[in-house]
Amino acid sequence: LLSETPVLFKQELQNEEAKEGKQVRLTCELSKPGTPVKWMKGDTVLCASEKYEFKQHGTVAELIIRDVKSTDA
């Protein structure tokens, strides 16, 4: 039996800057399309809401944070 190839980051998450009250988009690229992604801040798993939006297109996963505050750093 062949073991499944592990999913790797082809492009790691980069730091982004945004002004308070604006939105910021964080992206990373995976080695395998359609892989489920869990976004976390520290130990907390983020859930889709008015503040957080998740998108995934093939190998690219995006997190959009709306109404950015200093606590989102």
Side-chain angles (χ1 to χ4, degrees), residues 20-46:
E20 281 207 31
K22 300 293 185 189
Q23 75 172 29
V24 68
R25 180 183 308 258
L26 300 170
T27 63
C28 61
E29 188 176 356
L30 307 163
S31 60
K32 189 174 172 183
T35 304
V37 171
K38 199 178 345 180
W39 291 94
M40 301 180 74
K41 181 180 183 208
D43 293 329
T44 306
V45 178
L46 302 180

Side-chain angles (χ1 to χ4, degrees), residues 2-4 14 17 23-24 26-28 32 37-38 40-41 46-47 49-50 52 56 59 62 65 68-69 71-73:
L2 294 173
S3 60
E4 234 180 282
Q14 302 295 310
E17 287 189 17
Q23 75 172 29
V24 68
L26 300 170
T27 63
C28 61
K32 189 174 172 183
V37 171
K38 199 178 345 180
M40 301 180 74
K41 181 180 183 208
L46 302 180
C47 298
S49 64
E50 286 186 9
Y52 301 116
Q56 202 162 348
T59 57
E62 291 182 324
I65 305 174
V68 171
K69 305 274 188 233
T71 53
D72 293 314

